[in-house]
Amino acid sequence: MLITNVKAHHVSIPYDAGVASFRQGASAIAALDIVLVEVSTDAGVTGWGDAFGYVCPRSAATAIDEMIAPQARGLEVPDAEAIPAFMDRIQRNLHLFGRYGITMFAISGLDIALWDLAARVKGVPLHRLIGTSRRARIPAYASLLRIGTPELVARECETAMRGGYKAIKLHETTAPTVFAAREAMGAGVPLMVDMNCPMDGAEATAFARACRPAAPMFLEEPVWPPEDFATLAQVRSEGGIDLAAGENACTVHQFRQMMSAGAVSYAQPSVTKVGGVSEYLKVAALADQMGVRLAPHSPYFGPGFLATLQLMSLRDDGTFVEVFYMNRAACLWGDHINVDADGAIPVPQGPGLGYEPDKAIIEHYRVS
Ligand SMILES: [Mg+2]
């Protein structure tokens, strides 16, 4: 079976995040931009992938059309065993264009599509192609966008919990917002704090110590720059709170540096950024080896979210799947990825990633 084409589709779905109107400068997410990667074959089977596309959808789509498609078009469709070597060759061919960022987002998109394809060819869901299902439903956490004021953070936490969520992550950088969330959620409910790399080591350590009475499960990316693993390790040991990082790490190689430095308690591979399913599996294996827990990054709703559910079903490790907390104008997967009253999402059981993207939604929200 041959790959006949690799094509990017940019879909932009509006969202409403209510009180979370605080915008983070250049990294503000104006819409749910999804860069779908469609891999076509001469047998008529299609695989779907997902390249991280917030703020950079046109760049990611161009990278797929310009750099990635020529690497795959005309080649034999690899089976599951052959995908890592297939992708390793592409990583080598394209390494001079960036080992992290747009290039790797585009590589991730192709990798996910090839895994979807391999599982579809076998007629099994992706988790069964890779291993054994250990969870049929994945508990979700509400990943709140930055809000900024303690009162509104508290109100949003209460609303999310009424909606079924049993765990919440904030995107906040002040102690009063963290304490407001804890107060609203009650003791014992998992609370995570994602900071997006704002502080130096001394500031981050002071923040961690200040937050300790609120008992966050972890602080995520407290330190600038994200690749300063020595400082992260210092904050982790002196701050007295578990740290999480990894959404900005380049492949398993940088995760190894991060874990070896003792920088994190939780590793956060993002399937649409790290190099796809192949690289995610390497990070998961390394984390087990190094005694580091996993907390995947997945604030997106394209095929990468389904891939994350598939990968999380392979581990009965109690981890939560990240769900961006917002009202979406539409969803590629109907109601299938809605959080239920128990705060969980069922693992898709259809072939490949498990569901077909809704073609009418793609066309309606397509950006040409
Ligand atoms: Mg984050």
Side-chain angles (χ1 to χ4, degrees), residues 285-322:
L286 179 69
D288 288 344
Q289 203 184 315
M290 303 284 284
V292 171
R293 286 161 281 178
L294 279 192
H297 171 269
S298 63
Y300 33 68
F301 300 103
F305 185 79
L306 301 188
T308 303
L309 292 173
Q310 295 283 343
L311 289 160
M312 292 185 79
S313 78
L314 295 166
R315 305 167 65 89
D316 190 12
D317 56 5
T319 49
F320 300 91
V321 64
E322 176 172 23

Side-chain angles (χ1 to χ4, degrees), residues 169 171 194 196 220-221 247 297:
K169 186 171 87 179
H171 284 82
D194 189 349
N196 297 115
E220 179 173 329
E221 294 197 310
E247 66 175 277
H297 171 269

Side-chain angles (χ1 to χ4, degrees), residues 3 41 56 84 100 119-120 136 140 142 175 187 204 211 229 233 237 261-262 269 275 292 334 353:
I3 296 170
T41 65
C56 63
Y100 176 72
R120 282 175 190 273
C211 288
F229 304 137
S237 73
V292 171
L353 296 176

